[in-house]
Amino acid sequence: MSATHDTLEQDAAKVLPGLLARSYARYSQFTVAAAVIDVEGRVHYGVNVENAAYPVGTCAEQTAIGAMITAGGSQVIDKVLIAAGSDAVVQPCGACRQRIAEFAGEACEVVSVQGGAVTERVDFWSLLPHSFGPRDLD
């Protein structure tokens, strides 16, 4: 990882704990904040937003991906950083793994954040081997 990408990741990790307060987790009380870093080095943030008509809420990763698409530019994810209000190491749910797969680059990583610092790094494709994605429709 280059020094610039390393700094970008560290800066995004520091932002996530503050975003947890913006999460709308009225029902589960399980707050999550995520950052998607695209291959152009832009950071897009999201939080989970629950709904009384459970399970129609949105996950933090889904919200961050939506922000990436809305911003325009690259639609290729380099990293997904995730922090939970419980300070647990969390991984994307199954639905979010599929959402990430839609845009994940070959070297995409899922990065766990605790207390504003990176604590665990996982190759995304190891979380969703043999996935179905855009390449299957081309």
Side-chain angles (χ1 to χ4, degrees), residues 4-20 33-38 41-46 64 79-83 111-118:
T4 303
H5 281 344
D6 190 38
T7 301
L8 187 62
E9 181 182 284
Q10 290 172 6
D11 290 346
K14 289 176 186 172
V15 169
L16 291 184
L19 291 180
L20 289 167
V36 167
I37 302 175
D38 66 30
R42 296 180 311 158
V43 183
H44 312 275
Y45 295 99
K79 295 179 190 304
V80 179
L81 286 75
I82 306 170
V111 180
S112 298
V113 174
Q114 293 172 289
V118 170

Side-chain angles (χ1 to χ4, degrees), residues 35-81:
V36 167
I37 302 175
D38 66 30
V39 295
E40 293 174 354
R42 296 180 311 158
V43 183
H44 312 275
Y45 295 99
V47 297
N48 61 322
V49 180
E50 295 180 350
N51 189 287
Y54 193 78
V56 297
T58 56
C59 296
E61 300 92 328
Q62 179 181 0
T63 306
I65 291 168
M68 177 186 74
I69 299 303
T70 300
S74 174
Q75 294 186 357
V76 180
I77 298 173
D78 187 44
K79 295 179 190 304
V80 179
L81 286 75

